[in-house]
Short mmCIF file of all heavy atoms in Angstrom, two decimals:
data_model
loop_
_atom_site.label_atom_id
_atom_site.label_comp_id
_atom_site.label_asym_id
_atom_site.label_seq_id
_atom_site.Cartn_x
_atom_site.Cartn_y
_atom_site.Cartn_z
N TRP A 130 5.70 24.58 4.15
CA TRP A 130 5.40 26.00 4.15
C TRP A 130 6.33 26.75 3.17
O TRP A 130 5.89 27.58 2.38
CB TRP A 130 5.53 26.59 5.55
CG TRP A 130 5.24 28.07 5.59
CD1 TRP A 130 6.14 29.09 5.40
CD2 TRP A 130 3.98 28.69 5.77
NE1 TRP A 130 5.52 30.31 5.48
CE2 TRP A 130 4.18 30.09 5.71
CE3 TRP A 130 2.69 28.21 6.00
CZ2 TRP A 130 3.15 31.01 5.85
CZ3 TRP A 130 1.65 29.13 6.16
CH2 TRP A 130 1.88 30.50 6.07
N ASP A 131 7.62 26.42 3.23
CA ASP A 131 8.58 27.09 2.35
C ASP A 131 8.27 26.83 0.88
O ASP A 131 8.38 27.70 0.03
CB ASP A 131 10.01 26.64 2.67
CG ASP A 131 10.49 27.16 4.02
OD1 ASP A 131 9.92 28.17 4.51
OD2 ASP A 131 11.44 26.57 4.57
N ILE A 132 7.87 25.59 0.57
CA ILE A 132 7.57 25.22 -0.80
C ILE A 132 6.30 25.91 -1.30
O ILE A 132 6.25 26.45 -2.41
CB ILE A 132 7.45 23.70 -0.92
CG1 ILE A 132 8.80 23.03 -0.70
CG2 ILE A 132 6.86 23.29 -2.29
CD1 ILE A 132 8.71 21.53 -0.49
N LEU A 133 5.25 25.87 -0.47
CA LEU A 133 3.96 26.39 -0.90
C LEU A 133 3.83 27.89 -0.76
O LEU A 133 3.14 28.54 -1.56
CB LEU A 133 2.83 25.73 -0.08
CG LEU A 133 2.57 24.25 -0.32
CD1 LEU A 133 1.60 23.71 0.70
CD2 LEU A 133 2.04 24.03 -1.73
N ILE A 134 4.50 28.47 0.23
CA ILE A 134 4.25 29.87 0.59
C ILE A 134 5.52 30.72 0.44
O ILE A 134 5.51 31.76 -0.21
CB ILE A 134 3.72 29.99 2.03
CG1 ILE A 134 2.50 29.07 2.25
CG2 ILE A 134 3.42 31.45 2.36
CD1 ILE A 134 1.32 29.37 1.34
N GLY A 135 6.59 30.33 1.08
CA GLY A 135 7.81 31.13 1.08
C GLY A 135 7.75 32.25 2.09
O GLY A 135 6.96 32.24 3.05
N ASP A 136 8.57 33.27 1.91
CA ASP A 136 8.68 34.38 2.87
C ASP A 136 7.54 35.39 2.62
O ASP A 136 7.14 35.63 1.49
CB ASP A 136 10.01 35.09 2.71
CG ASP A 136 11.19 34.21 3.12
OD1 ASP A 136 11.00 33.37 4.02
OD2 ASP A 136 12.27 34.37 2.54
N LEU A 137 7.06 35.96 3.74
CA LEU A 137 6.01 36.95 3.69
C LEU A 137 6.38 38.14 4.58
O LEU A 137 7.12 37.99 5.56
CB LEU A 137 4.67 36.36 4.18
CG LEU A 137 4.03 35.28 3.33
CD1 LEU A 137 2.87 34.66 4.10
CD2 LEU A 137 3.54 35.84 2.01
N ASP A 138 5.82 39.28 4.27
CA ASP A 138 5.92 40.45 5.12
C ASP A 138 4.93 40.28 6.27
O ASP A 138 3.72 40.21 6.03
CB ASP A 138 5.63 41.70 4.30
CG ASP A 138 5.68 42.98 5.12
OD1 ASP A 138 5.85 42.92 6.36
OD2 ASP A 138 5.53 44.07 4.53
N ASP A 139 5.42 40.23 7.50
CA ASP A 139 4.55 40.00 8.66
C ASP A 139 3.45 41.08 8.76
O ASP A 139 2.40 40.83 9.35
CB ASP A 139 5.36 39.97 9.94
CG ASP A 139 6.23 38.73 10.04
OD1 ASP A 139 5.96 37.75 9.32
OD2 ASP A 139 7.19 38.74 10.84
N ASP A 140 3.72 42.27 8.24
CA ASP A 140 2.75 43.36 8.38
C ASP A 140 1.67 43.34 7.30
O ASP A 140 0.70 44.11 7.37
CB ASP A 140 3.48 44.71 8.35
CG ASP A 140 4.37 44.91 9.55
OD1 ASP A 140 4.02 44.39 10.64
OD2 ASP A 140 5.42 45.56 9.41
N ASP A 141 1.82 42.48 6.31
CA ASP A 141 0.84 42.40 5.24
C ASP A 141 -0.22 41.35 5.61
O ASP A 141 -0.12 40.17 5.23
CB ASP A 141 1.56 42.02 3.92
CG ASP A 141 0.63 42.11 2.71
OD1 ASP A 141 -0.59 42.13 2.89
OD2 ASP A 141 1.16 42.16 1.58
N LEU A 142 -1.24 41.78 6.35
CA LEU A 142 -2.24 40.84 6.85
C LEU A 142 -2.99 40.14 5.74
O LEU A 142 -3.22 38.93 5.82
CB LEU A 142 -3.18 41.54 7.82
CG LEU A 142 -2.60 41.99 9.15
CD1 LEU A 142 -3.71 42.45 10.09
CD2 LEU A 142 -1.78 40.90 9.81
N PRO A 143 -3.45 40.83 4.67
CA PRO A 143 -4.16 40.10 3.61
C PRO A 143 -3.31 39.01 2.97
O PRO A 143 -3.81 37.91 2.70
CB PRO A 143 -4.53 41.21 2.61
CG PRO A 143 -4.62 42.44 3.44
CD PRO A 143 -3.53 42.30 4.47
N ALA A 144 -2.03 39.29 2.73
CA ALA A 144 -1.15 38.27 2.15
C ALA A 144 -0.96 37.11 3.09
O ALA A 144 -0.95 35.94 2.66
CB ALA A 144 0.19 38.89 1.77
N ASN A 145 -0.81 37.39 4.37
CA ASN A 145 -0.64 36.31 5.36
C ASN A 145 -1.91 35.50 5.50
O ASN A 145 -1.85 34.27 5.65
CB ASN A 145 -0.21 36.89 6.70
CG ASN A 145 1.27 37.19 6.77
OD1 ASN A 145 2.07 36.34 7.12
ND2 ASN A 145 1.64 38.42 6.39
N ALA A 146 -3.06 36.16 5.47
CA ALA A 146 -4.34 35.44 5.55
C ALA A 146 -4.49 34.52 4.35
O ALA A 146 -4.89 33.34 4.49
CB ALA A 146 -5.51 36.41 5.63
N ALA A 147 -4.18 35.01 3.17
CA ALA A 147 -4.29 34.19 1.96
C ALA A 147 -3.32 33.01 2.01
O ALA A 147 -3.66 31.89 1.62
CB ALA A 147 -4.01 35.04 0.72
N ALA A 148 -2.11 33.25 2.54
CA ALA A 148 -1.11 32.18 2.63
C ALA A 148 -1.58 31.10 3.61
O ALA A 148 -1.45 29.91 3.32
CB ALA A 148 0.21 32.76 3.09
N GLU A 149 -2.12 31.51 4.75
CA GLU A 149 -2.57 30.50 5.72
C GLU A 149 -3.75 29.73 5.20
O GLU A 149 -3.87 28.50 5.44
CB GLU A 149 -2.90 31.19 7.05
CG GLU A 149 -1.66 31.69 7.76
CD GLU A 149 -1.92 32.12 9.18
OE1 GLU A 149 -3.10 32.24 9.58
OE2 GLU A 149 -0.94 32.38 9.90
N VAL A 150 -4.64 30.37 4.47
CA VAL A 150 -5.76 29.65 3.86
C VAL A 150 -5.22 28.63 2.85
O VAL A 150 -5.68 27.49 2.77
CB VAL A 150 -6.75 30.62 3.22
CG1 VAL A 150 -7.75 29.89 2.33
CG2 VAL A 150 -7.50 31.40 4.29
#
Side-chain angles (χ1 to χ4, degrees):
W130 179 272
D131 290 339
I132 292 167
L133 291 172
I134 308 300
D136 293 329
L137 293 170
D138 179 355
D139 290 341
D140 294 328
D141 189 342
L142 291 189
N145 280 271
E149 290 190 350
V150 168

